[in-house]
Amino acid sequence: MFATRLISGIVLVVLALFIVGSGGVLLFAASAGISCIGLFELYRVMKMEDKVLGAVGYTAALAYYCLVWFHQEKFVMLVAISALMLLMAIYVVTFPKYGTEQVTVAFFGIFYVAVMFSYLYQARMMADGKYLVWLIFLSSWGCDTCAYCAGMLFGKHKLAPILSPKKSMEGAIGGALGAALLGFIYALFFGNHMTEVANPRIACSIACGIAAIISQIGDLAASAIKRNHQVKDYGNLIPGHGGVLDRFDSMLFTAPAIYFALTFLR
């Protein structure tokens, strides 16, 4: 199991380096594809992945990505409201086939998975994005590693004993501080190449620290959904890691966090 997880992790890192480094249409297509797969995994938990509600969710997610590609974000609310109206119409016409929870999750998933993950692509397309986008990975995966080490060394107080008994408050603090330090170190090497960031070391440190805190909420939120529905993993697409949502759950939160943090810090 460890070998499988390690090999899958290496493959993921290599793919991330190539796809995110390339940016453009390749990263856009990968982001849209991962979002649709993640949406499918979420809907499968609710047993609606192949239902008409799911079809509305997939369509709305792809419509949103089209807006992002053509820089027409001003129409996002139009897509959101249209999707909600259509979902409610289906709910009424087919009543009582679908429950309110299924309709709610169908709409929620569009934002939780598709919209939030799209900020990986949007961060890459920012000025200095080819450098700043890697802060998403540093604050997500770096926080996980630092939190694990800090928790093993100093962990005494449980962070969320029911959701994740092994996570500690000390680990959470260590994860955030470790991610901030990683952001600072990263800026030491690449800060001189960032032409649009006034003080890269401070900006990258603060952005990574904020995103690391938020990433832990994302990780626990994904676990809470699985616990509520007695699901161990969202899928088995990635050997040793589970599904897309199992691997990218925290990144759903760090991507928009980094994007908006840097937007204001710049």
Side-chain angles (χ1 to χ4, degrees), residues 42-171:
L42 178 65
Y43 288 168
R44 183 166 55 190
V45 170
M46 298 299 298
K47 298 178 175 56
M48 48 178 276
E49 73 278 9
D50 58 350
K51 302 294 192 298
V52 65
L53 293 180
V56 173
Y58 305 137
T59 303
L62 291 175
Y64 166 76
Y65 268 93
C66 286
L67 295 180
V68 172
W69 178 255
F70 291 107
H71 306 289
Q72 297 296 321
E73 288 84 352
K74 61 184 177 181
F75 294 112
V76 168
M77 287 308 298
L78 174 61
V79 171
I81 292 173
S82 298
L84 180 58
M85 287 181 174
L86 185 54
L87 288 169
M88 293 306 293
I90 294 169
Y91 175 56
V92 170
V93 171
T94 62
F95 189 86
K97 183 176 180 179
Y98 300 109
T100 52
E101 187 178 19
Q102 289 176 302
V103 177
T104 303
V105 171
F107 184 71
F108 159 77
I110 299 168
F111 286 87
Y112 174 56
V113 182
V115 174
M116 293 178 75
F117 194 77
S118 75
Y119 282 96
L120 174 64
Y121 168 76
Q122 295 188 65
R124 177 65 176 81
M125 299 309 294
M126 294 173 73
D128 298 326
K130 63 181 179 180
Y131 300 107
L132 298 175
V133 70
W134 299 107
L135 298 179
I136 294 173
F137 295 89
L138 283 178
S139 59
S140 178
W141 296 350
C143 175
D144 286 346
T145 302
C146 293
Y148 175 79
C149 294
M152 289 292 291
L153 293 173
F154 310 108
K156 291 183 179 179
H157 303 87
K158 300 297 182 182
L159 179 65
I162 297 177
L163 278 179
S164 187
K166 294 183 179 181
K167 292 186 184 297
S168 65
M169 296 180 65
E170 292 81 4

Side-chain angles (χ1 to χ4, degrees), residues 240-252:
H241 293 267
V244 162
L245 290 182
D246 295 298
R247 179 64 277 180
F248 296 103
D249 51 2
S250 60
M251 199 174 295
L252 292 176

Side-chain angles (χ1 to χ4, degrees), residues 158-167 216-229:
K158 300 297 182 182
L159 179 65
I162 297 177
L163 278 179
S164 187
K166 294 183 179 181
K167 292 186 184 297
Q216 296 180 71
I217 298 174
D219 181 43
L220 291 170
S223 297
I225 294 173
K226 290 190 289 187
R227 288 293 183 93
N228 275 340
H229 298 278

